[in-house]
């Protein structure tokens, strides 16, 4: 006989909130309650990114995903906006030289946050190869082969889904997270009011307002747009490793 709850609804199953699901619930609750968050969003033209992917495949036989490209572009944008490459903890703001990105990924129904280190010092081909290796380890459950700590900024990629907009939560104590949504080919008004096709991707950036302000969101998106309009330059850009203190 089906179980009936106090409001007359039939209950299919009751399971305890435990394990990974419990950890995620606790971390997201802590994130929302302890870190004042604000999200800005922008639609950026990515036609040159699409052309870059095509040329890279044709000229070098290398296939990179949009997610690979946006991870590398985020690192380049952070290089110009290092105030976002930071964390707030124990009454202090800590600014990092290393640009280590947590790349949110779901495997076997479990949300993982693998870390790709020193993304600013790697070109797109290296970033793509390392992410492929990380994803393969996660698919096989080889968690010991994947770095899960030490991130300084997060990227949540939902571009392969039907999601047009998201407001990602930061991953404490990090100060910011970039969300990627799906690409849409839409008509837009160009010069002289003519209608032209455009490839637009919606990007979101959530920040900790205890660490920085909305102007940092604007500056980050300005940098990101610059990278996406010249992928041939920026996706092969490598920042010299910071000198040891």
């Amino acid at each position: 006989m089906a179980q009936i709850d106090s409001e007359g609804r039939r209950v299919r199953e009751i399971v305890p909130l435990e394990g990974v699901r419990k950890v995620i619930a606790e971390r997201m609750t802590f994130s929302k309650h302890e870190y004042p968050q604000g999200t800005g969003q922008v639609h950026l033209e990515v036609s040159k990114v699409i052309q870059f992917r095509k040329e890279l495949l044709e000229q070098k036989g290398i296939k990179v995903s949009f997610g690979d490209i946006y991870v590398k572009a985020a690192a380049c944008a952070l290089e110009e906006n290092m105030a976002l490459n930071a964390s707030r903890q124990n009454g202090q703001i800590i600014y990092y030289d290393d640009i280590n990105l947590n790349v949110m990924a779901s495997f076997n129904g479990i949300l993982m946050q693998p870390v790709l280190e020193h993304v600013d010092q790697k070109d797109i081909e290296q970033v793509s190869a390392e992410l492929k290796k990380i994803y393969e380890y996660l698919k096989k459950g080889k968690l010991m082969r994947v770095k899960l700590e030490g991130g300084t900024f997060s990227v949540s990629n939902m571009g392969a889904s039907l999601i047009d907009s998201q407001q990602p939560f930061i991953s404490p104590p990090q100060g910011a997270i970039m969300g990627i949504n799906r690409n849409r080919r839409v008509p837009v008004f160009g010069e002289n009011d003519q209608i032209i096709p455009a490839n637009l991707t919606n990007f979101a950036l959530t920040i900790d307002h205890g660490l920085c302000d909305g102007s940092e969101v604007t500056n980050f998106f300005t940098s990101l747009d610059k990278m996406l309009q010249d992928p041939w330059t920026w996706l092969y850009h490598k920042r010299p490793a910071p000198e040891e203190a």
Side-chain angles (χ1 to χ4, degrees):
M1 181 179 295
Q3 183 176 348
I4 306 298
D5 73 1
S6 60
E7 297 184 22
R9 298 167 294 201
R10 291 183 299 169
V11 177
R12 180 170 61 86
E13 184 181 13
I14 298 176
V15 299
L17 179 62
E18 58 187 8
V20 174
R21 191 74 266 157
K22 181 179 180 181
V23 171
I24 292 175
E26 291 173 346
R27 284 185 59 81
M28 291 301 96
T29 300
F30 175 73
S31 173
K32 196 65 174 178
H33 284 179
E34 300 297 325
Y35 289 78
Q37 299 177 40
T39 302
Q41 300 192 31
V42 66
H43 287 89
L44 298 181
E45 167 63 58
V46 296
S47 293
K48 292 182 179 178
V49 169
I50 294 172
Q51 182 65 26
F52 171 82
R53 290 183 73 232
K54 180 180 178 182
E55 292 183 2
L56 191 60
L57 181 60
E58 292 174 347
Q59 297 174 10
K60 293 189 175 184
I62 297 174
K63 185 177 182 179
V64 300
S65 70
F66 285 106
D68 299 337
I69 290 173
Y70 296 147
V71 165
K72 174 57 182 173
C76 291
L78 273 178
E79 186 180 338
E80 295 188 348
N81 299 275
M82 293 295 278
L84 294 173
N85 195 52
S87 67
R88 181 169 63 89
Q89 47 189 316
N90 301 322
Q92 298 176 317
I93 297 176
I94 303 171
Y95 297 100
Y96 301 104
D97 270 334
D98 292 333
I99 295 180
N100 301 339
L101 302 190
N102 284 92
V103 184
M104 307 298 185
S106 180
F107 293 94
N108 302 318
I110 299 176
L111 180 65
M112 306 295 292
Q113 301 181 50
V115 175
L116 186 62
E117 296 184 290
H118 310 301
V119 185
D120 54 310
Q121 299 171 33
K122 300 167 181 174
D123 63 32
I124 183 57
E125 295 179 29
Q126 293 170 299
V127 168
S128 180
E130 290 194 28
L131 284 175
K132 286 183 176 68
K133 185 182 297 184
I134 288 172
Y135 295 155
E136 189 62 29
Y137 286 146
L138 291 176
K139 288 177 183 177
K140 294 180 179 179
K142 297 181 178 180
L143 300 184
M144 297 297 292
R145 306 293 296 273
V146 178
K147 185 175 179 62
L148 298 173
E149 298 179 344
T152 62
F153 181 93
S154 293
V155 176
S156 172
N157 183 11
M158 303 188 75
S161 69
L162 295 177
I163 299 298
D164 289 322
S165 176
Q166 61 170 309
Q167 292 184 320
F169 286 6
I170 60 174
S171 181
Q174 291 179 13
I177 179 173
M178 183 180 83
I180 306 162
N181 303 291
R182 68 169 173 165
N183 173 261
R184 299 291 302 276
R185 187 166 175 80
V186 298
V188 299
F189 286 100
E191 295 181 5
N192 302 317
D193 288 338
Q194 77 274 29
I195 297 177
I196 59 175
N199 291 286
L200 301 181
T201 295
N202 176 275
F203 294 89
L205 185 69
T206 298
I207 61 166
D208 169 17
H209 269 299
L211 184 150
C212 60
D213 298 313
S215 60
E216 297 294 344
V217 177
T218 299
N219 295 339
F220 179 87
F221 282 144
T222 299
S223 296
L224 183 66
D225 186 50
K226 179 173 67 173
M227 281 81 199
L228 299 181
Q229 300 316 310
D230 187 11
W232 297 270
T233 296
W234 288 101
L235 295 183
Y236 282 94
H237 166 73
K238 293 184 180 181
R239 181 173 71 123
E243 295 183 3
E244 295 293 336

